[in-house]
Each structure stands twice: as structure tokens, then as C-alpha cells.
Amino acid sequence: MLLDSQLTCASSSTCLQFVEEGIGFFGEIDACAAKALALRTHVARFPSGTTIFAQGEPAASIGVLASGTVKVVYLTEDGKMHILSLLGPGDIVGDIGAAENKLSWEAATDVTLCWMTRSSFETLLSEHAALQKGYLAATVRQLEKERLWASSLRGTGTIQRVAALLFAQLPPQSGTVDTHLPLSLTRRDIASLLDMSSETLCRVLHQIKDKGAIRMPTPALIVVQQPGTLLAIAKGVGASLPNGMMNNGMRNRPKLNDSFPITAHAPRRMKPVMIKAIEDEIGFLLPIGRP
């Protein structure tokens, strides 16, 4: 069930553009199946903070994210919210594998969705074998991302997690110049994603700032001024890493487009890639940014 949405019957030109560029899920299937899928979709828009699919409601719809960031949330019986992962453009939103939603999908930013009913999607699956394989591949890719994210939180301190989060946002060409990271998520959401309280996140950010790695001109803007120091904190070592080691970390890092986006940078074209389990220079992967 779609909640709080602005569903339109406008042409799905946005979804057709995704087909042409092979973005996300559309890159997993052949051109014929992708075009058939795009032509069956409608454009649905959700303001930040609204619910797309609610936990416990019938799993009656599915969508492909066109723009914005969606958080996958589990609500406990006592009302606590746990953010399990973040979805970016090209990711599948919703799950038709069960009769009702086991999780909730919520708009972390303003979101545009290529949306269709479950029955329409199941009809397409029966008509296009390539779509069945592509849907399975895309689902496995997203599940793998969530598993790697969960494993990356094990055995690391709060300051390492936050530093690695920030380092993961840096574009490959980052060097001696300051890099501005405008945050698109609230600190509460970032804290939940990192499995810590908002107060702990705030304290750790100031610790990283005191070490000279970053500065924070505003609550929604972080400027990375010493990436070597930031990487050293993420690795849990005492001194700033030399440029050669830092550059190696930048080079070996997987593309951040297919990841957990917390920054406000505009989406770029992307091809789906399997996320690597280990990053040489951090020791674990926090795939949470999109330069």
C-alpha cells in the first residue's frame, strides 16, 4: 500500500531514461524487458519523511527508485526504529516475496519512484524470462550489500565507523584540497545506520574535528580537510597515513554510486557492480556515499 504519495499518470520518461542508461535494476535485464517494464510504470513522488510501503501492510506494489534516497526500516514492537540500509537510484523498493511487508520503506529525502502494482509486475515476469533473472540478480545484489554492511559494523569502535563513513564519501580525485560533503540525511538517520545514538554521533564528529581531519561550518555540511588523517582514524592507527597509502585506498575503493547514499550530491550514471567485502585501506567497507 502506498502511503503519503503523489501518484501521477504522467509519462514514464524518467523510467525510460533509466532504460537507456542501464541504471541499477534496468541494467540487469535486456532492452526488450526493460522497455516493457518502464512502459508499465507510473511516476510516484514522496516528500522526505513519508512512508512508501508500510511494515505489516499487504505487499501490493513494487518500484524502482529514480531519484533520492530511501531508507529500509524495521520497527520493533516497542516502537524503536532501526535503519537497515539505504537505497539509491536504480535500486528496487518493496518486496513481493511475501504477502505482507516485513519491513518499511521510507523516503529519507524527496523521492521519485517508477511504481507499478504487484499484479502488473508478476504479469511481466511471466512474459519475460530475462526479467525474472534480472529481478533475482538485483535482489541478490541488494541483499549482499546489506549483509556486507551488517558485517562492517562488527568489531569496530564508534569513531572508526564515523570516520570510515566520511572517507567513503570522498571522490577518487580527493587530495590536498578541501572536499565539501553536504549531508542529505538527518543526523538521527545516520546515527541509526551506524548503530549509535545521535548524541554519540555528535560527540564523535567533534572528536574527529579536534584531530584536524574535518571541520563543520554548518550541521548539514562537513568539510574534509585532511583525508590522510581521516583514513588513519578509520583504520584505527595513530598517525596520518602518507599520501601514497591514502591514494592507494582511493584507487582500490569500489564505486560509490551503487551504495548507501548519505550526501546530497546529484546522482550520476551507473552500472550495477557487486560490492566488495573488503577494502584494503579501511579493512572493512562502509558503502554509504555517492560523490
Side-chain angles (χ1 to χ4, degrees), residues 48-49 71 81 83 86 107-109 165 183-193 198 201 205 219-220 261-263:
S48 175
K71 54 187 179 183
M81 179 189 75
I83 298 179
L86 299 176
T109 65
L165 176 150
L183 301 180
S184 60
L185 269 74
T186 66
R187 291 198 179 189
R188 178 186 177 189
D189 283 350
I190 296 173
S192 177
L193 186 67
S198 299
L201 174 62
L205 283 172
I262 71 161
T263 58

Side-chain angles (χ1 to χ4, degrees), residues 270-286:
M270 62 180 178
K271 291 285 184 179
V273 295
M274 292 301 295
I275 298 177
K276 297 178 181 178
I278 301 297
E279 179 177 32
D280 292 341
E281 292 305 324
I282 294 184
F284 57 91
L285 176 62
L286 288 177

